[in-house]
mmCIF file of all heavy atoms in Angstrom:
data_model
loop_
_atom_site.group_PDB
_atom_site.id
_atom_site.type_symbol
_atom_site.label_atom_id
_atom_site.label_comp_id
_atom_site.label_asym_id
_atom_site.label_seq_id
_atom_site.Cartn_x
_atom_site.Cartn_y
_atom_site.Cartn_z
ATOM 1 N N ALA A 498 -17.570 -46.292 -31.201
ATOM 2 C CA ALA A 498 -17.915 -47.695 -31.456
ATOM 3 C C ALA A 498 -19.415 -47.939 -31.336
ATOM 4 O O ALA A 498 -19.994 -48.710 -32.113
ATOM 5 C CB ALA A 498 -17.166 -48.599 -30.484
ATOM 6 N N ALA A 499 -20.052 -47.291 -30.362
ATOM 7 C CA ALA A 499 -21.478 -47.514 -30.122
ATOM 8 C C ALA A 499 -22.364 -46.727 -31.074
ATOM 9 O O ALA A 499 -23.531 -47.093 -31.281
ATOM 10 C CB ALA A 499 -21.830 -47.149 -28.680
ATOM 11 N N LEU A 500 -21.823 -45.643 -31.646
ATOM 12 C CA LEU A 500 -22.622 -44.775 -32.518
ATOM 13 C C LEU A 500 -21.931 -44.604 -33.872
ATOM 14 O O LEU A 500 -21.500 -43.506 -34.240
ATOM 15 C CB LEU A 500 -22.834 -43.404 -31.853
ATOM 16 C CG LEU A 500 -23.517 -43.411 -30.488
ATOM 17 C CD1 LEU A 500 -23.458 -42.023 -29.857
ATOM 18 C CD2 LEU A 500 -24.969 -43.885 -30.602
ATOM 19 N N PRO A 501 -21.777 -45.673 -34.623
ATOM 20 C CA PRO A 501 -21.114 -45.565 -35.927
ATOM 21 C C PRO A 501 -21.902 -44.652 -36.865
ATOM 22 O O PRO A 501 -23.122 -44.720 -36.930
ATOM 23 C CB PRO A 501 -21.105 -47.012 -36.433
ATOM 24 C CG PRO A 501 -22.245 -47.673 -35.725
ATOM 25 C CD PRO A 501 -22.283 -47.039 -34.367
ATOM 26 N N GLY A 502 -21.192 -43.792 -37.563
ATOM 27 C CA GLY A 502 -21.855 -42.864 -38.472
ATOM 28 C C GLY A 502 -22.052 -41.486 -37.886
ATOM 29 O O GLY A 502 -22.443 -40.551 -38.589
ATOM 30 N N ILE A 503 -21.796 -41.344 -36.570
ATOM 31 C CA ILE A 503 -21.903 -40.031 -35.930
ATOM 32 C C ILE A 503 -20.505 -39.477 -35.696
ATOM 33 O O ILE A 503 -19.621 -40.178 -35.213
ATOM 34 C CB ILE A 503 -22.684 -40.132 -34.612
ATOM 35 C CG1 ILE A 503 -24.158 -40.395 -34.907
ATOM 36 C CG2 ILE A 503 -22.530 -38.864 -33.774
ATOM 37 C CD1 ILE A 503 -25.041 -40.441 -33.692
ATOM 38 N N ARG A 504 -20.302 -38.208 -36.054
ATOM 39 C CA ARG A 504 -18.991 -37.583 -35.865
ATOM 40 C C ARG A 504 -18.864 -37.075 -34.434
ATOM 41 O O ARG A 504 -19.727 -36.344 -33.945
ATOM 42 C CB ARG A 504 -18.793 -36.421 -36.842
ATOM 43 C CG ARG A 504 -17.459 -35.692 -36.665
ATOM 44 C CD ARG A 504 -17.097 -34.924 -37.910
ATOM 45 N NE ARG A 504 -17.936 -33.755 -38.115
ATOM 46 C CZ ARG A 504 -17.645 -32.520 -37.659
ATOM 47 N NH1 ARG A 504 -16.543 -32.343 -36.935
ATOM 48 N NH2 ARG A 504 -18.443 -31.516 -37.920
ATOM 49 N N LEU A 505 -17.806 -37.485 -33.760
ATOM 50 C CA LEU A 505 -17.565 -37.045 -32.395
ATOM 51 C C LEU A 505 -16.660 -35.824 -32.395
ATOM 52 O O LEU A 505 -15.575 -35.849 -32.988
ATOM 53 C CB LEU A 505 -16.907 -38.167 -31.586
ATOM 54 C CG LEU A 505 -16.449 -37.828 -30.172
ATOM 55 C CD1 LEU A 505 -17.644 -37.470 -29.288
ATOM 56 C CD2 LEU A 505 -15.669 -38.981 -29.558
ATOM 57 N N ALA A 506 -17.115 -34.768 -31.742
ATOM 58 C CA ALA A 506 -16.297 -33.569 -31.563
ATOM 59 C C ALA A 506 -15.923 -33.503 -30.091
ATOM 60 O O ALA A 506 -16.758 -33.154 -29.246
ATOM 61 C CB ALA A 506 -17.068 -32.324 -31.989
ATOM 62 N N LEU A 507 -14.689 -33.855 -29.774
ATOM 63 C CA LEU A 507 -14.241 -33.850 -28.385
ATOM 64 C C LEU A 507 -14.082 -32.417 -27.885
ATOM 65 O O LEU A 507 -13.351 -31.628 -28.468
ATOM 66 C CB LEU A 507 -12.901 -34.578 -28.254
ATOM 67 C CG LEU A 507 -12.920 -36.096 -28.079
ATOM 68 C CD1 LEU A 507 -11.491 -36.609 -27.999
ATOM 69 C CD2 LEU A 507 -13.695 -36.485 -26.840
ATOM 70 N N GLY A 508 -14.754 -32.117 -26.796
ATOM 71 C CA GLY A 508 -14.618 -30.777 -26.237
ATOM 72 C C GLY A 508 -15.766 -30.425 -25.316
ATOM 73 O O GLY A 508 -16.745 -31.177 -25.186
ATOM 74 N N GLU A 509 -15.652 -29.279 -24.694
ATOM 75 C CA GLU A 509 -16.674 -28.784 -23.773
ATOM 76 C C GLU A 509 -17.276 -27.511 -24.332
ATOM 77 O O GLU A 509 -16.567 -26.552 -24.632
ATOM 78 C CB GLU A 509 -16.063 -28.520 -22.405
ATOM 79 C CG GLU A 509 -17.070 -28.062 -21.378
ATOM 80 C CD GLU A 509 -16.510 -28.079 -19.965
ATOM 81 O OE1 GLU A 509 -15.349 -28.471 -19.792
ATOM 82 O OE2 GLU A 509 -17.268 -27.704 -19.045
ATOM 83 N N VAL A 510 -18.595 -27.497 -24.498
ATOM 84 C CA VAL A 510 -19.283 -26.333 -25.039
ATOM 85 C C VAL A 510 -19.223 -25.190 -24.029
ATOM 86 O O VAL A 510 -19.544 -25.364 -22.851
ATOM 87 C CB VAL A 510 -20.739 -26.675 -25.391
ATOM 88 C CG1 VAL A 510 -21.500 -25.418 -25.829
ATOM 89 C CG2 VAL A 510 -20.796 -27.725 -26.488
ATOM 90 N N THR A 511 -18.805 -24.034 -24.495
ATOM 91 C CA THR A 511 -18.663 -22.868 -23.620
ATOM 92 C C THR A 511 -19.698 -21.787 -23.896
ATOM 93 O O THR A 511 -19.926 -20.921 -23.060
ATOM 94 C CB THR A 511 -17.256 -22.253 -23.777
ATOM 95 O OG1 THR A 511 -17.019 -21.953 -25.160
ATOM 96 C CG2 THR A 511 -16.190 -23.237 -23.291
ATOM 97 N N ALA A 512 -20.321 -21.810 -25.080
ATOM 98 C CA ALA A 512 -21.309 -20.781 -25.412
ATOM 99 C C ALA A 512 -22.290 -21.308 -26.441
ATOM 100 O O ALA A 512 -21.917 -22.047 -27.361
ATOM 101 C CB ALA A 512 -20.618 -19.525 -25.937
ATOM 102 N N LEU A 513 -23.560 -20.916 -26.266
ATOM 103 C CA LEU A 513 -24.616 -21.251 -27.216
ATOM 104 C C LEU A 513 -25.187 -19.958 -27.784
ATOM 105 O O LEU A 513 -25.683 -19.117 -27.030
ATOM 106 C CB LEU A 513 -25.732 -22.048 -26.534
ATOM 107 C CG LEU A 513 -25.383 -23.429 -25.987
ATOM 108 C CD1 LEU A 513 -26.539 -23.962 -25.149
ATOM 109 C CD2 LEU A 513 -25.064 -24.390 -27.115
ATOM 110 N N ALA A 514 -25.105 -19.775 -29.098
ATOM 111 C CA ALA A 514 -25.670 -18.596 -29.757
ATOM 112 C C ALA A 514 -26.859 -19.090 -30.577
ATOM 113 O O ALA A 514 -26.734 -19.367 -31.783
ATOM 114 C CB ALA A 514 -24.630 -17.918 -30.636
ATOM 115 N N LEU A 515 -28.016 -19.222 -29.920
ATOM 116 C CA LEU A 515 -29.175 -19.826 -30.567
ATOM 117 C C LEU A 515 -29.685 -18.989 -31.731
ATOM 118 O O LEU A 515 -30.147 -19.543 -32.737
ATOM 119 C CB LEU A 515 -30.287 -20.051 -29.546
ATOM 120 C CG LEU A 515 -29.946 -20.949 -28.349
ATOM 121 C CD1 LEU A 515 -31.206 -21.247 -27.536
ATOM 122 C CD2 LEU A 515 -29.288 -22.244 -28.794
ATOM 123 N N ASP A 516 -29.626 -17.654 -31.619
ATOM 124 C CA ASP A 516 -30.110 -16.799 -32.715
ATOM 125 C C ASP A 516 -29.254 -16.961 -33.960
ATOM 126 O O ASP A 516 -29.751 -16.815 -35.086
ATOM 127 C CB ASP A 516 -30.121 -15.337 -32.274
ATOM 128 C CG ASP A 516 -31.171 -15.065 -31.202
ATOM 129 O OD1 ASP A 516 -32.163 -15.822 -31.152
ATOM 130 O OD2 ASP A 516 -30.995 -14.105 -30.421
ATOM 131 N N ASP A 517 -27.972 -17.260 -33.767
ATOM 132 C CA ASP A 517 -27.056 -17.428 -34.903
ATOM 133 C C ASP A 517 -26.922 -18.885 -35.331
ATOM 134 O O ASP A 517 -26.172 -19.187 -36.281
ATOM 135 C CB ASP A 517 -25.667 -16.879 -34.547
ATOM 136 C CG ASP A 517 -25.691 -15.393 -34.218
ATOM 137 O OD1 ASP A 517 -26.520 -14.688 -34.832
ATOM 138 O OD2 ASP A 517 -24.906 -14.960 -33.369
ATOM 139 N N ARG A 518 -27.596 -19.778 -34.620
ATOM 140 C CA ARG A 518 -27.483 -21.217 -34.886
ATOM 141 C C ARG A 518 -26.014 -21.659 -34.877
ATOM 142 O O ARG A 518 -25.537 -22.316 -35.798
ATOM 143 C CB ARG A 518 -28.134 -21.585 -36.221
ATOM 144 C CG ARG A 518 -29.625 -21.334 -36.262
ATOM 145 C CD ARG A 518 -30.263 -22.017 -37.438
ATOM 146 N NE ARG A 518 -31.713 -21.800 -37.462
ATOM 147 C CZ ARG A 518 -32.567 -22.446 -38.241
ATOM 148 N NH1 ARG A 518 -32.094 -23.369 -39.085
ATOM 149 N NH2 ARG A 518 -33.854 -22.192 -38.201
ATOM 150 N N LYS A 519 -25.369 -21.322 -33.791
ATOM 151 C CA LYS A 519 -23.942 -21.635 -33.685
ATOM 152 C C LYS A 519 -23.587 -21.863 -32.225
ATOM 153 O O LYS A 519 -24.185 -21.279 -31.320
ATOM 154 C CB LYS A 519 -23.105 -20.481 -34.260
ATOM 155 C CG LYS A 519 -21.606 -20.704 -34.245
ATOM 156 C CD LYS A 519 -20.873 -19.515 -34.885
ATOM 157 C CE LYS A 519 -19.371 -19.739 -34.867
ATOM 158 N NZ LYS A 519 -18.637 -18.604 -35.480
ATOM 159 N N LEU A 520 -22.604 -22.722 -31.986
ATOM 160 C CA LEU A 520 -22.086 -22.917 -30.634
ATOM 161 C C LEU A 520 -20.565 -22.893 -30.670
ATOM 162 O O LEU A 520 -19.946 -23.064 -31.721
ATOM 163 C CB LEU A 520 -22.596 -24.234 -30.041
ATOM 164 C CG LEU A 520 -22.262 -25.555 -30.747
ATOM 165 C CD1 LEU A 520 -20.884 -26.068 -30.357
ATOM 166 C CD2 LEU A 520 -23.323 -26.597 -30.421
ATOM 167 N N THR A 521 -19.989 -22.660 -29.502
ATOM 168 C CA THR A 521 -18.536 -22.636 -29.371
ATOM 169 C C THR A 521 -18.127 -23.691 -28.349
ATOM 170 O O THR A 521 -18.761 -23.825 -27.302
ATOM 171 C CB THR A 521 -18.046 -21.257 -28.886
ATOM 172 O OG1 THR A 521 -18.499 -20.262 -29.810
ATOM 173 C CG2 THR A 521 -16.527 -21.221 -28.810
ATOM 174 N N TYR A 522 -17.085 -24.441 -28.679
ATOM 175 C CA TYR A 522 -16.572 -25.419 -27.731
ATOM 176 C C TYR A 522 -15.048 -25.377 -27.706
ATOM 177 O O TYR A 522 -14.406 -24.900 -28.649
ATOM 178 C CB TYR A 522 -17.076 -26.827 -28.050
ATOM 179 C CG TYR A 522 -16.489 -27.475 -29.282
ATOM 180 C CD1 TYR A 522 -15.387 -28.334 -29.180
ATOM 181 C CD2 TYR A 522 -17.045 -27.258 -30.543
ATOM 182 C CE1 TYR A 522 -14.849 -28.952 -30.314
ATOM 183 C CE2 TYR A 522 -16.515 -27.873 -31.666
ATOM 184 C CZ TYR A 522 -15.422 -28.715 -31.548
ATOM 185 O OH TYR A 522 -14.887 -29.322 -32.660
ATOM 186 N N VAL A 523 -14.489 -25.857 -26.594
ATOM 187 C CA VAL A 523 -13.037 -25.893 -26.420
ATOM 188 C C VAL A 523 -12.597 -27.347 -26.408
ATOM 189 O O VAL A 523 -13.107 -28.151 -25.618
ATOM 190 C CB VAL A 523 -12.615 -25.193 -25.108
ATOM 191 C CG1 VAL A 523 -11.102 -25.304 -24.905
ATOM 192 C CG2 VAL A 523 -13.042 -23.735 -25.127
ATOM 193 N N ASP A 524 -11.656 -27.693 -27.287
ATOM 194 C CA ASP A 524 -11.222 -29.083 -27.371
ATOM 195 C C ASP A 524 -10.225 -29.410 -26.256
ATOM 196 O O ASP A 524 -9.808 -28.515 -25.510
ATOM 197 C CB ASP A 524 -10.658 -29.400 -28.753
ATOM 198 C CG ASP A 524 -9.327 -28.714 -29.043
ATOM 199 O OD1 ASP A 524 -8.616 -28.317 -28.100
ATOM 200 O OD2 ASP A 524 -8.981 -28.589 -30.228
ATOM 201 N N PRO A 525 -9.832 -30.685 -26.086
ATOM 202 C CA PRO A 525 -8.947 -31.069 -24.978
ATOM 203 C C PRO A 525 -7.590 -30.365 -24.964
ATOM 204 O O PRO A 525 -6.924 -30.336 -23.931
ATOM 205 C CB PRO A 525 -8.774 -32.589 -25.187
ATOM 206 C CG PRO A 525 -10.004 -33.003 -25.905
ATOM 207 C CD PRO A 525 -10.318 -31.871 -26.820
ATOM 208 N N GLU A 526 -7.182 -29.804 -26.104
ATOM 209 C CA GLU A 526 -5.901 -29.108 -26.155
ATOM 210 C C GLU A 526 -6.043 -27.611 -25.983
ATOM 211 O O GLU A 526 -5.082 -26.858 -26.154
ATOM 212 C CB GLU A 526 -5.195 -29.437 -27.472
ATOM 213 C CG GLU A 526 -4.836 -30.919 -27.600
ATOM 214 C CD GLU A 526 -4.074 -31.229 -28.867
ATOM 215 O OE1 GLU A 526 -4.047 -30.366 -29.774
ATOM 216 O OE2 GLU A 526 -3.486 -32.322 -28.945
ATOM 217 N N GLY A 527 -7.271 -27.156 -25.636
ATOM 218 C CA GLY A 527 -7.485 -25.747 -25.332
ATOM 219 C C GLY A 527 -7.836 -24.871 -26.516
ATOM 220 O O GLY A 527 -7.960 -23.655 -26.382
ATOM 221 N N THR A 528 -8.030 -25.454 -27.683
ATOM 222 C CA THR A 528 -8.377 -24.677 -28.871
ATOM 223 C C THR A 528 -9.875 -24.424 -28.924
ATOM 224 O O THR A 528 -10.672 -25.358 -28.783
ATOM 225 C CB THR A 528 -7.942 -25.409 -30.151
ATOM 226 O OG1 THR A 528 -6.538 -25.656 -30.100
ATOM 227 C CG2 THR A 528 -8.260 -24.591 -31.388
ATOM 228 N N SER A 529 -10.258 -23.165 -29.119
ATOM 229 C CA SER A 529 -11.679 -22.812 -29.215
ATOM 230 C C SER A 529 -12.151 -23.015 -30.653
ATOM 231 O O SER A 529 -11.513 -22.570 -31.608
ATOM 232 C CB SER A 529 -11.880 -21.359 -28.790
ATOM 233 O OG SER A 529 -13.245 -21.005 -28.852
ATOM 234 N N ARG A 530 -13.270 -23.689 -30.792
ATOM 235 C CA ARG A 530 -13.802 -23.990 -32.117
ATOM 236 C C ARG A 530 -15.280 -23.638 -32.200
ATOM 237 O O ARG A 530 -16.005 -23.731 -31.210
ATOM 238 C CB ARG A 530 -13.622 -25.471 -32.446
ATOM 239 C CG ARG A 530 -12.163 -25.955 -32.375
ATOM 240 C CD ARG A 530 -12.070 -27.441 -32.676
ATOM 241 N NE ARG A 530 -10.701 -27.931 -32.537
ATOM 242 C CZ ARG A 530 -9.783 -27.880 -33.488
ATOM 243 N NH1 ARG A 530 -10.106 -27.370 -34.676
ATOM 244 N NH2 ARG A 530 -8.566 -28.354 -33.287
ATOM 245 N N GLY A 531 -15.718 -23.224 -33.388
ATOM 246 C CA GLY A 531 -17.118 -22.919 -33.617
ATOM 247 C C GLY A 531 -17.784 -24.019 -34.413
ATOM 248 O O GLY A 531 -17.133 -24.731 -35.177
ATOM 249 N N LEU A 532 -19.097 -24.177 -34.218
ATOM 250 C CA LEU A 532 -19.830 -25.227 -34.917
ATOM 251 C C LEU A 532 -21.239 -24.723 -35.216
ATOM 252 O O LEU A 532 -21.994 -24.386 -34.303
ATOM 253 C CB LEU A 532 -19.886 -26.484 -34.046
ATOM 254 C CG LEU A 532 -20.375 -27.784 -34.678
ATOM 255 C CD1 LEU A 532 -19.469 -28.192 -35.838
ATOM 256 C CD2 LEU A 532 -20.431 -28.892 -33.631
ATOM 257 N N GLU A 533 -21.571 -24.663 -36.502
ATOM 258 C CA GLU A 533 -22.908 -24.243 -36.904
ATOM 259 C C GLU A 533 -23.821 -25.458 -37.030
ATOM 260 O O GLU A 533 -23.350 -26.581 -37.213
ATOM 261 C CB GLU A 533 -22.842 -23.482 -38.234
ATOM 262 C CG GLU A 533 -22.030 -22.184 -38.145
ATOM 263 C CD GLU A 533 -21.995 -21.450 -39.470
ATOM 264 O OE1 GLU A 533 -22.376 -22.055 -40.503
ATOM 265 O OE2 GLU A 533 -21.578 -20.281 -39.481
ATOM 266 N N TYR A 534 -25.116 -25.213 -36.935
ATOM 267 C CA TYR A 534 -26.058 -26.327 -36.983
ATOM 268 C C TYR A 534 -27.360 -25.913 -37.655
ATOM 269 O O TYR A 534 -27.691 -24.720 -37.737
ATOM 270 C CB TYR A 534 -26.354 -26.840 -35.577
ATOM 271 C CG TYR A 534 -26.974 -25.793 -34.646
ATOM 272 C CD1 TYR A 534 -28.344 -25.530 -34.671
ATOM 273 C CD2 TYR A 534 -26.181 -25.060 -33.767
ATOM 274 C CE1 TYR A 534 -28.913 -24.578 -33.851
ATOM 275 C CE2 TYR A 534 -26.743 -24.101 -32.934
ATOM 276 C CZ TYR A 534 -28.093 -23.853 -32.973
ATOM 277 O OH TYR A 534 -28.660 -22.907 -32.155
ATOM 278 N N ASP A 535 -28.083 -26.905 -38.143
ATOM 279 C CA ASP A 535 -29.451 -26.707 -38.628
ATOM 280 C C ASP A 535 -30.452 -27.152 -37.582
ATOM 281 O O ASP A 535 -31.545 -26.596 -37.478
ATOM 282 C CB ASP A 535 -29.656 -27.495 -39.923
ATOM 283 C CG ASP A 535 -28.784 -26.978 -41.057
ATOM 284 O OD1 ASP A 535 -29.100 -25.915 -41.608
ATOM 285 O OD2 ASP A 535 -27.775 -27.642 -41.358
ATOM 286 N N ARG A 536 -30.077 -28.180 -36.825
ATOM 287 C CA ARG A 536 -30.878 -28.636 -35.697
ATOM 288 C C ARG A 536 -29.933 -28.852 -34.522
ATOM 289 O O ARG A 536 -28.805 -29.316 -34.696
ATOM 290 C CB ARG A 536 -31.604 -29.956 -36.004
ATOM 291 C CG ARG A 536 -32.590 -29.879 -37.161
ATOM 292 C CD ARG A 536 -33.817 -29.040 -36.817
ATOM 293 N NE ARG A 536 -34.816 -29.120 -37.870
ATOM 294 C CZ ARG A 536 -34.828 -28.365 -38.960
ATOM 295 N NH1 ARG A 536 -33.858 -27.464 -39.126
ATOM 296 N NH2 ARG A 536 -35.771 -28.480 -39.872
#
């Protein structure tokens, strides 16, 4: 509600792979997910 236009990814980040520009997070149901970024 406070940040319209921003996508919320519910979860806790467990690993940061800065050289690969990627992070891993675990959602509230225990599923591990990857997320790539430019910034």
Side-chain angles (χ1 to χ4, degrees):
L500 302 171
I503 289 183
R504 178 160 71 92
L505 174 64
L507 274 179
E509 183 168 359
V510 174
T511 55
L513 296 171
L515 301 188
D516 292 335
D517 299 327
R518 296 194 179 192
K519 182 178 180 180
L520 60 83
T521 303
Y522 71 95
V523 177
D524 69 21
E526 296 183 346
T528 302
S529 181
R530 303 178 183 275
L532 191 61
E533 297 181 347
Y534 60 83
D535 295 285
R536 299 290 187 275

